[in-house]
Amino acid sequence: MTKTKHTKESIKALIKEKNIDFIRLQFCDINGHIKNLAVPATQIDKVLDNECMLDGSSIKGFRSIETSDMYFYPDLDTFAIIPWGTDKNDSNVARIICDIYDQDRTPFEGCPRCNLKRVLKKAQDLGYVMNVGPEAEFFLFKKDENGMPTTIAHDGADYYDAAPDDLGEGTRRKMVRALTQLGFDIEASHHEGAEGQHEIDFKYADALTAADNIMTFKYVVKAIASQLGLHATFMPKPIYGINGSGMHCNLSLFKNGKNTFFKEDAPYQLSDEAMYCIGGLLEDVRAFTAITNPTVNSYKRLVRGYEAPVYLAWSLANRSALIRVPAKRGSATRVELRSPDPSCNPYLAFAVILESIINGIKNKIEPPVQIERNIYKMDDKARKRAKILSLPGSLYEAIELMKKNKVVKNALGEHIFNEFITSKMQEWEKFRTYVSPWEVDMYLKM
């Protein structure tokens, strides 16, 4: 998404020119859910002067009731006019993404966006800017007669299918138009491999902009689908037996405007920074998987046989490896981390990924030899000989690994680290004690 440089005056001029009625102050909670406060456009001076307040005790993982007064600090460059009517009166509405500040006017340590900025500053102090190109997949499902979502796929098409098999072409086209109006540079859209599954690709950006883009992308996809009587979901594995939805992240580091991952005369034309990046990610990925794959359902996707990478290895082309280095070189040289899924909070995900890369570079962590074989077809003994570990198999296992890792704790800060673990252990306990329909079918008549 191309950010427009805004000032207070330019925003007020746009509000007047476009007859904007309401402004949505958007922010993100620890679990990656978009929240917002809608204010009349007549309150724009109050918004721009950082005087709009939030009850932090009402947001899970934010503040206690004793210290609940917080402030919206809008990022002026994220101001955008929402290109569709958001209510039955078809009001003209704009949005602006905000950081959350404490009552003493300092960045709130539990604000995921503020936290990512803190980690980005560490990279900046080393001279680096991390760019991210995310690929977030989603499903389109039909709704029932009461307007509630089902798991009945919108179509039965396959990878790269065309109409009339692909019934999502028109829906994706409307999504692309809305995203383009919001400043996205859309590169492609297509049907994915599972029934009702889709992908819309947009251009990479610096990590903060990329995280903002993912949140906006989800917002747009869900809104347009709902307008068309469909339900869009970023749930990693909504249907048993078919592919789940991933969010591959293409990563690169730039210094002084140049891609530091490319080195013409190095093996594979990959620089030391690129190799240390791979080494750092492989070193810490098991510990940060709870962040990049944060739900119980995430681990229904991370299984063999459905194109989801579960084995800790890297390769130049092998898509069974967790980390892949696509063929393009020069300024397009990048490392693709294939395990994250679109249910994650992108601000937290990029924070742990970047902290892991910094760890790899600072400590010169060399990756193992690349794996060229199809790891899915290797048996346990062969993987053991190659020293190929697996990602955690459940949210509980992932949280236990996360608890012991200093890199993840440094990436999240103490507040988010503790609140996230508490929230996810509660989620795991609910799942652990819930009697599912599968159990009833399996054991009731035993």
Side-chain angles (χ1 to χ4, degrees), residues 103-281:
Q103 57 187 356
D104 63 358
R105 301 292 186 156
T106 59
F108 171 45
E109 61 182 342
C111 170
R113 197 171 189 268
C114 290
N115 181 73
L116 177 57
K117 286 183 174 181
R118 178 183 62 83
V119 179
L120 291 173
K121 179 66 166 55
K122 293 183 186 181
Q124 183 181 343
D125 289 344
L126 297 171
Y128 296 115
V129 173
M130 182 172 81
N131 286 332
V132 184
E135 302 171 11
E137 298 165 341
F138 60 94
F139 279 86
L140 290 176
F141 290 130
K142 295 179 180 179
K143 294 182 179 181
D144 64 19
E145 62 276 9
N146 297 315
M148 299 301 293
T150 71
T151 53
I152 301 172
H154 178 231
D155 62 28
D158 203 341
Y159 194 57
Y160 275 34
D161 273 353
D165 298 318
D166 175 11
L167 298 179
E169 281 191 350
T171 303
R172 292 198 307 272
R173 186 162 56 247
K174 287 181 172 63
M175 292 172 180
V176 167
R177 284 173 179 162
L179 289 165
T180 301
Q181 287 177 274
L182 283 167
F184 278 70
D185 187 350
I186 301 296
E187 296 182 335
S189 68
H190 61 88
H191 200 286
E192 259 296 335
E195 296 179 0
Q197 189 182 33
H198 305 268
E199 182 176 316
I200 298 173
D201 298 325
F202 47 92
K203 190 177 180 179
Y204 71 88
D206 66 273
L208 182 64
T209 302
D212 288 343
N213 287 351
I214 291 170
M215 297 304 296
T216 301
F217 177 75
K218 291 181 180 181
Y219 177 59
V220 170
V221 165
K222 285 178 169 292
I224 297 298
S226 181
Q227 285 188 344
L228 298 175
L230 299 170
H231 177 73
T233 180
F234 293 91
M235 183 178 178
K237 188 80 168 183
I239 301 177
Y240 169 76
I242 65 174
N243 291 352
S245 290
M247 190 181 79
H248 300 173
C249 293
N250 294 275
L251 311 166
S252 59
L253 286 183
F254 277 65
K255 180 181 281 189
N256 298 322
K258 293 186 178 180
N259 190 330
T260 65
F261 282 2
F262 175 68
K263 188 175 181 182
E264 183 77 45
D265 56 354
Y268 317 123
Q269 295 184 310
L270 297 177
S271 68
D272 287 343
E273 281 102 329
M275 299 305 287
Y276 296 151
C277 163
I278 295 169
L281 290 171

Side-chain angles (χ1 to χ4, degrees), residues 316-372:
L316 295 179
N318 184 357
R319 293 179 186 269
S320 67
L322 178 74
I323 295 173
R324 195 174 73 92
V325 182
K328 284 189 176 182
R329 291 295 182 266
S331 62
T333 306
R334 62 194 186 274
V335 169
E336 181 186 44
L337 179 65
R338 297 167 56 78
S339 57
D341 71 53
S343 70
C344 73
N345 181 328
Y347 301 104
L348 301 188
F350 296 166
V352 295
I353 288 170
L354 179 54
E355 189 79 39
S356 178
I357 292 172
I358 293 172
N359 180 46
I361 291 173
K362 280 188 171 181
N363 294 295
K364 298 183 178 181
I365 300 173
E366 295 277 0
V369 176
Q370 68 149 328
I371 301 295
E372 296 180 347

